[in-house]
Each structure stands twice: as C-alpha cells, then as structure tokens.
Amino acid sequence: MDRRTVLIMGGAATVLAACVGGTDEPRIGSDGKPLPRVYRITPAEAEKIPYRLLDSVNTLRQAKGAMPLAFNAALNAAALTHSRDMAVQNRPWHFGSDGSSPLVRVQRVGYAGKFLGELISETYQTELETLSAWMAQPDTRDILLDPRAREAGFSWFQEEGGKIWWTFLTGG
C-alpha cells in the first residue's frame, strides 16, 4: 500500500465513524417525553458533590440575607442512612422503614442541635438539578433558606440502575 491509499482509507474511516457515532439528542419514551439520562456518580465526582451543593445553597442563602450553612457530621450520617433506606423501600418519603421520623433519625446519630427540616428526592438528575427543583417549590425552598439554619447534612445513594436518592437536612 502506498501513502495515498493509507490516507484515503484513514479519511474514509473517519467519515464512517462520524456517521455511526452517538448523538447527543435525547431518547424519547413511549409517552413522547425525553427519557432520563443516567447521572453516574464516579468516586472522583462523589468527593466534589457535597461541596458543590453546599456552595450553591450558601450562594442562594446569601442572596436572601441568610447565614451560610456548614456541614455537620451527624446530620450527614442521618442523611446517608435515610437515602439508603428510601432505596430499600423504593419510595421517596420522610419516614424510615422502621417508622422513624426525620427528628428521630437525627437524634439517633447524636445531633445536639435543633432539627429544622429535611428535603428528599428520587431522581436520575444531578445534585444541582435537584437543588433547582427544591428551589422551585415554596415549601422546600423555605427549608433551604430558613434563616435559623446554621448546619446541614447531605448525602445520597445511587442504585445500580442509576436512580439516585438524595437527602438534605438542616439544623440550628
């Protein structure tokens, strides 16, 4: 083979790859709506997610004149426990599989402050898309922006299929 043949074959392969390559267009479900895209949380992303969310929440709080939140280890533990438990129950709700309330869960992990609120979500979306959904509703927005809050707990559990169970707690 001479050099021209190699160049022509290489060019043809590039054109074919472009035709066969994946598209960025959303896949459509039977209801005509786009299917959710799975947001895979890698170990590298897992380290960034809590701080990206906390920075975003604190920016929103600052815009409303509220003090910033700081993570509390006990609230983080309660959030993780509840995220895993919602996945086991396969439903997003504020009660644990043992009937525990958010208040009971934060007491169990030894949180010494005053429990103020809990936000939950079952989704395939990122933490920032989830935060946006929480901000869009007055009741969940009030928890995020509560001026009494000084501490937060945040965690998630991602199932093998990609569904993510998010939990955010506030305390003061």
Side-chain angles (χ1 to χ4, degrees), residues 51-70:
Y51 300 102
R52 197 164 43 222
L53 181 88
L54 186 63
D55 288 346
S56 298
V57 168
N58 283 337
T59 298
L60 294 166
R61 289 176 61 81
Q62 181 182 21
K64 291 295 184 180
M67 297 294 294
L69 301 177

Side-chain angles (χ1 to χ4, degrees), residues 63-145:
K64 291 295 184 180
M67 297 294 294
L69 301 177
F71 280 131
N72 175 280
L75 290 177
N76 284 339
L80 177 59
T81 298
H82 192 55
S83 292
R84 289 178 185 271
D85 192 45
M86 286 190 295
V88 168
Q89 296 180 71
N90 196 32
R91 64 177 170 177
W93 75 324
H94 293 282
F95 294 94
S97 55
D98 62 356
S100 62
S101 69
L103 178 60
V104 168
R105 286 193 301 277
V106 299
Q107 289 171 342
R108 283 181 184 164
V109 295
Y111 181 62
K114 178 180 169 110
F115 169 72
L116 296 173
E118 177 181 73
L119 302 176
I120 58 172
S121 180
E122 165 200 20
T123 185
Y124 291 89
Q125 296 179 319
T126 70
E127 70 284 355
L128 297 181
E129 290 170 312
T130 301
L131 175 59
S132 178
W134 287 335
M135 285 298 291
Q137 299 298 318
D139 56 340
T140 53
R141 181 177 51 244
D142 289 348
I143 291 170
L144 288 165
L145 303 179

